[in-house]
Amino acid sequence: MSGAAVRLVVHGAAGRMGRRLVALAAAEPGLRLAGAVVRPGSGLAGRDAGELAGVGALGLALTEEVPAGDVLVDFSAPGAAPRALDACLRHRMGLLLGTTGLPAEVGLVAREASSRIPVIVAANTSLGVQLLASLVGRAASALGEAWDVEVVEAHHRQKRDAPSGTARLLVAEVARARGREGDLE
């Protein structure tokens, strides 16, 4: 990557994905960690983000307030998404919202915000899962209504949303392919 490093803010930095993002960003020369945000009242503010992420001290303290950056990545909790979106609008920074289980109104606000800032809302950011979703849609379309589709998933014990965003993405793709968008049953 040429030019200045992208200033990344990780929202939900104490969570499983947040810690992983901090660790990966710290090792990526094209990124500069501009902030690592934790839930207000968590008791973690002030701790070093790298130490929490298991990569050693980075000299970046966890904060409860969202600082300015170029892009905010949020894999926190559905209730925290409005706060992340508000901060992105205030700081005029892009948003990658990977949190699943979002209330419908957050999606509407994110769509409206996308006219002012870059916004990506993704149930799963894996290229492989996006390819899988496309293939599932093609198969559902080709096989038609005579074929039943069932999505079965397994996760680690701490998985908070079930069905997961990935499962919902696959079901939505089947519904779209069969002309029943919005039908997740």
Side-chain angles (χ1 to χ4, degrees), residues 3-120:
V6 173
R7 297 172 304 144
L8 179 71
V9 176
V10 177
H11 192 257
R16 186 183 190 105
M17 275 298 293
R19 290 189 315 264
R20 186 69 181 130
L21 287 168
V22 166
L24 289 169
E28 175 57 48
L31 297 175
R32 181 175 70 78
L33 276 168
V37 183
V38 294
R39 179 179 39 82
S42 69
L44 295 171
R47 287 190 55 190
D48 189 279
E51 289 178 355
L52 184 65
V55 295
L58 297 175
L60 178 67
L62 296 165
T63 63
E64 293 179 355
E65 294 301 315
V66 179
D70 296 319
V71 66
L72 181 141
V73 178
D74 182 7
F75 283 89
S76 60
R83 182 174 161 230
L85 190 51
D86 288 344
C88 287
L89 287 166
R90 187 172 60 254
H91 294 305
R92 308 269 318 146
M93 65 180 156
L95 171 64
L96 168 58
L97 184 55
T99 301
T100 57
L102 296 169
E105 59 271 12
V106 172
L108 295 173
V109 172
R111 183 179 306 274
E112 192 279 323
S114 71
S115 67
R116 295 182 279 159
I117 60 170
V119 175
I120 297 174

